[in-house]
Amino acid sequence: LLGALLAAWASRLFILPLRAVVQAAQAFSLGRAHGALPVQRQDELGDLARSFQDMEGIIGAQLQELNRSRDAMEHLAHHDALTGLPNRRMFTQCLQQAIERARRSGRPLALVFVDLDGFKAINDSLGHAVGDLVLQATAQAIRGAVRQSDIVARLAGDEFTVLCENVDTPEAAQALLHKLAQAFAAPLAVGERTLSVRASMGLSLFPQDAEEAEGLLGSADAAMYRAKTAVSRT
């Protein structure tokens, strides 16, 4: 009986706390939650439990930092660093997915290509820092003119695109184009100044103008250049 009592006492005093630390280590290695550790003890088991708890906190903080870094890298891989808009890679993926949805639903989509007029002159006369602010202001102006569900992207330089799904009629597409043009009717707030910024735009429709992503982009780009040429002749 005395032996049984000593065994129970030893189990409660040493074996169960040690087992709690072991189980906590196993759970942590699998990314699972675990029970309380005997950190209140003032012996070697308490030292072990507190050391494990400290290690767990350090590793957890490092994992969180790694996850934040991974998310930041993922975001940079798909977004333009200057404007925060989707980049060409992400826009192309979104366009291909939108085309597949449009094929299934039978509802058209519209693609608008936007190119700033005289942007090189702004860079040359006011500097690239102001040019960057103009691009940021342009991104905000375009986003403010379209629906929340529409995708605005910066392809490169001063080239932007807008993808609008479920644009059921050519009239609705033209209304979208007019609303975008109105976004540039007034001067844009560029830093501490306002600048008059003009843009040429081209529109393409799926499936009327093209049935593939590359064809839609090419059609909208060509329409934009026709608009730019017409402006330069006036």
Side-chain angles (χ1 to χ4, degrees), residues 73-88:
M73 292 295 293
E74 182 72 14
H75 185 272
L76 287 174
H78 294 89
H79 291 80
D80 171 51
L82 179 63
T83 63
L85 296 177
N87 58 17
R88 179 184 289 272

Side-chain angles (χ1 to χ4, degrees), residues 2 10 13 17 23 30 37 44 51 62 84-85 89 94 96 101 103 109 111 141 143 150 153 187-188 201 212 231:
L2 179 61
L13 189 62
Q23 290 174 345
L30 298 174
L37 294 168
E44 288 80 0
S51 296
Q62 291 174 341
L85 296 177
R89 177 184 178 185
C94 292
Q96 290 171 342
R101 287 192 293 270
R103 286 197 179 107
L109 63 83
L111 175 63
R143 281 187 296 195
D150 298 333
L188 300 183
M201 304 178 191
E212 302 296 337
V231 170

Side-chain angles (χ1 to χ4, degrees), residues 18 62-63 85 91-92 100 115 158 182 188 191 198 223 226 228:
L18 183 59
Q62 291 174 341
L63 287 175
L85 296 177
F91 182 79
T92 301
E100 292 303 319
D115 186 89
D158 60 338
Q182 288 297 111
L188 300 183
R198 294 291 178 264
R226 289 194 297 270
K228 188 179 289 287

Side-chain angles (χ1 to χ4, degrees), residues 64-143:
Q64 288 180 352
E65 183 61 31
L66 284 174
N67 287 334
R68 283 193 292 266
S69 298
R70 181 198 61 195
D71 292 342
M73 292 295 293
E74 182 72 14
H75 185 272
L76 287 174
H78 294 89
H79 291 80
D80 171 51
L82 179 63
T83 63
L85 296 177
N87 58 17
R88 179 184 289 272
R89 177 184 178 185
M90 183 175 179
F91 182 79
T92 301
Q93 294 175 355
C94 292
L95 178 57
Q96 290 171 342
Q97 293 167 0
I99 289 174
E100 292 303 319
R101 287 192 293 270
R103 286 197 179 107
R104 292 193 297 267
S105 67
R107 301 188 67 181
L109 63 83
L111 175 63
V112 181
F113 203 106
V114 182
D115 186 89
L116 298 184
D117 298 331
F119 181 67
K120 183 177 183 302
I122 293 176
N123 271 336
D124 292 343
S125 60
L126 299 177
H128 289 279
V130 175
D132 288 345
L133 293 176
V134 168
L135 293 175
Q136 291 172 339
T138 298
Q140 293 177 0
I142 295 175
R143 281 187 296 195

